[in-house]
Each structure stands twice: as C-alpha cells, then as structure tokens.
Amino acid sequence: MNRNRAVPDGGRNEERRRSRTMGKHVIVGAGQVGAHLAERLTGMGHDVTVVTRSGSGPDGVERVAADAADRDRLATLAKGADTIYNCVNPPYHRWAQDWPPLAASFLGAAEDTGAGLVTLSSLYGYGPVDGPMTEDLPLAATGTKGRVRARMWHDALAAHEAGRIRATEVRGSDFYGPGSSDQSFIGEVRFVKPLLAGKRVFYFSDPSVPHAWTYLPDAAQALAIAGTDERSYGRAWHVPTGPAVSTREVGERLCRIAGAPAPRIHEVPRAIFNAAGLVAPVLKELRETRYQFDEPFVLDSSAFESAFAMAPTPLDDALRAVVAASR
C-alpha cells in the first residue's frame, strides 16, 4: 500500500490549495490542542466552529454542543467546511470503546461533506522502536491503545486511497506548553507549578532518559498547515519537535529561566507505580506505554519541517512562554 499517494483529481487539489485564503474550519475537541488550533485558525482569518459535548471552547469562535459520534449531526455542522479536525481525546481507559464510533463518524462526515479530514494523533501506533521514529515505520503496536490508533489511520488511509475522502494524520509526542492539561507529564499542574514553587516532583520513570516533547503551539501550527495545504493529504506527518531531552534537563532549564530553586525530581519506584495502577485507571493504562519513558524516545519530524518550512520552537523559548503563562 502506498502511504504517500494523494487522491488523483486532475490538478484540482493544487488549484484549491492556491485559492484557499479564508474558509470554514470545524474543530472537534477544545482541549489543550484544539483550543490552540482555534486561536491559530482565527488568527489566519478563517471562520472556526468548535464542537464539544458541552458546547465549551475558546472565545472568538462559534461553539456548538454535539456528540461527535453522531455522523449526521457532525456532517450537518461541517456542511460547506474546508476541513474537519479531529482533536478529540477520550479517557485512556475508554479508547477501545469510544474511538471506533467516533472515528467512523469522522470518516462519514468527511465523505458526506467533501471536507478534508485532519486527525491529531499520537505515536502509540508504532509500538516500541529502536531508534528515531519516522512516518514510514510500520504501525506494529501490540497494546490496546496503539492498535486503536493504528486501525483509525489504516481506515482513513483506505478511504483516502479509494477516493472517498481526503485525509491526513498529524502525530505528536507528549505535549507541553501554555494551556497544557493536568495529564501532561511536564505540564503546568504536575510539573511547572510545583518546581517553580520549590516543591518536589514525582516522575513515574527514570527522569534522566531522553524523551521527545512536542510544544502545543507547534502542534496547533502543524494542524493548521495540514488543514490549509492540499499537499498534506494522503500520508501521516510528525509535528515539528525538538531534540529529545530528559525530564530532568527540562526541569533544570525551566527553573534556571524562572530563577527558581534547582529542581527536585524523584522517580517513583516501579512497584509503587504498579500498585497505584490498581486503583487509578489512568496509571493502569500508562503501564502499556511506559516503554516510551523507560528508554530513549526520539522523534524525527524532518519530513514536515522540509515540506512546509516549519521548525520546532526552541526549548528555551518555549519554556520562557511556559513561565510567563504560569505567572
């Protein structure tokens, strides 16, 4: 199967790409990435609708309460849209139940409306790898979450190659930055505020292992590019992401920039981590993907960087923004 083949259209994609200056964009999900994406697209002059179950979302956009698993409802909301963005993130322990109907709805709505489908995804589908991750690696995960994400992409790519939709997938590593969720490993709640207050931070793996961290505004920028440039369709891409840096080094650089005390980051013993998973669903699910933190986790995003002339935000610049936002 050719993962990079675009839908043949006699040159209409190129015409559409050049002519698209303003359009309608529908973002499903207003979490840590969806909110940044909405801000980015509105700043580019696009009309943006944000769809969530509760009708929440950032200011300056149309906010709609709807169940994204309802294909007809999603298609109605996306009528006339250039692009639909899947920025949904069900609870980890619900992925096997929640993702299939959601994914089917997104594919159906894209087919019904002709809107491009841009899906925010993760690196789980690759499973454990030895060396930097590139987009041409097989999706060989054996864990539940990885298999779910792999199936979603295989289905979207099959629909794209059959000419039913235009689809792409944008994959990032663990997110950090202003507006990060309370589940972010180096986010505001778990990491930034405690360290800047001189408190200890407990990390569930070895904090000296290099790890790729994806900056939230970079993820939003990559999604906005993918959703407004027809060259993105027909393959997966990695969000421009800087060199892998250990959690300990991130903490040291963060505290140096903020003028805070030296960071105190402690590894939680594996036995305690495993025991906590018996009562905390999130920790139980993290056991499946802990391999990402026990060994170096390196992301190669050179394909997107080269194709779309976008570089990742330097870590220190990103951390300065994080410190400013936390204050």
Side-chain angles (χ1 to χ4, degrees):
M1 181 178 290
N2 184 348
R3 295 173 180 271
N4 298 318
R5 183 171 67 84
V7 174
D9 71 344
R12 290 191 300 275
N13 280 347
E14 179 63 22
E15 180 181 351
R16 188 186 294 116
R17 182 174 69 84
R18 287 196 298 262
S19 65
R20 183 180 299 171
T21 55
M22 294 181 62
K24 176 181 177 180
H25 295 258
V26 176
I27 304 170
V28 184
Q32 59 180 355
V33 178
H36 278 282
L37 175 59
E39 180 180 348
R40 180 76 59 176
L41 288 170
T42 54
M44 294 166 64
H46 297 293
D47 293 328
V48 176
T49 298
V50 172
V51 181
T52 63
R53 280 185 172 274
S54 65
S56 62
D59 294 333
V61 302
E62 180 184 8
R63 292 173 288 188
V64 178
D67 179 1
D70 183 338
R71 170 177 174 167
D72 292 339
R73 176 67 168 143
L74 185 57
T76 297
L77 294 171
K79 184 178 181 180
D82 294 295
T83 312
I84 304 170
Y85 301 85
N86 176 359
C87 295
V88 178
N89 189 27
Y92 271 7
H93 65 287
R94 293 283 310 173
W95 274 27
Q97 295 78 31
D98 291 353
W99 263 129
L102 282 165
S105 178
F106 278 106
L107 294 182
E111 185 170 0
D112 293 343
T113 62
L117 176 60
V118 178
T119 298
L120 172 67
S121 191
S122 66
L123 307 174
Y124 292 161
Y126 298 125
V129 301
D130 183 15
M133 286 167 284
T134 56
E135 295 93 329
D136 58 356
L137 285 174
L139 298 179
T142 58
T144 300
K145 289 185 289 298
R147 289 198 305 267
V148 166
R149 296 302 322 210
R151 173 49 56 193
M152 288 174 61
W153 174 237
H154 287 318
D155 289 347
L157 184 59
H160 174 95
E161 294 189 328
R164 300 200 308 272
I165 66 172
R166 292 170 294 126
T168 185
E169 184 167 274
V170 179
R171 301 168 183 162
S173 190
D174 293 278
F175 296 120
Y176 76 104
S180 60
S181 76
D182 58 2
Q183 300 301 315
S184 175
F185 298 113
I186 59 169
E188 195 171 12
V189 175
R190 293 187 180 187
F191 192 79
V192 175
K193 286 188 174 180
L195 287 185
L196 297 190
K199 299 179 180 179
R200 291 184 297 173
V201 165
F202 292 95
Y203 191 67
F204 68 96
S205 187
D206 182 353
S208 66
V209 173
H211 190 86
W213 305 101
T214 297
Y215 187 47
L216 284 167
D218 288 345
Q221 176 69 0
L223 288 166
I225 290 172
T228 55
D229 192 323
E230 294 291 327
R231 295 176 298 164
S232 72
Y233 292 113
R235 58 161 291 172
W237 302 90
H238 289 163
V239 177
T241 297
V245 177
S246 73
T247 304
R248 193 180 305 282
E249 182 176 346
V250 173
E252 291 169 349
R253 292 165 74 166
L254 172 76
C255 290
R256 183 171 63 250
I257 288 169
R264 294 182 293 159
I265 304 173
H266 302 275
E267 179 179 0
V268 176
R270 185 179 291 268
I272 295 177
F273 172 80
N274 290 341
L278 298 176
V279 295
V282 172
L283 293 179
K284 180 181 178 181
E285 293 299 318
L286 287 176
R287 291 165 63 178
E288 180 186 310
T289 55
R290 179 165 171 156
Y291 67 85
Q292 298 180 346
F293 301 89
D294 290 341
E295 300 292 338
F297 196 67
V298 182
L299 182 64
D300 182 339
S301 56
S302 58
F304 193 99
E305 295 174 39
S306 176
F308 301 105
M310 176 187 168
T313 301
L315 178 60
D316 283 353
D317 291 348
L319 292 178
R320 290 187 187 97
V322 167
V323 170
S326 70
R327 291 174 171 169

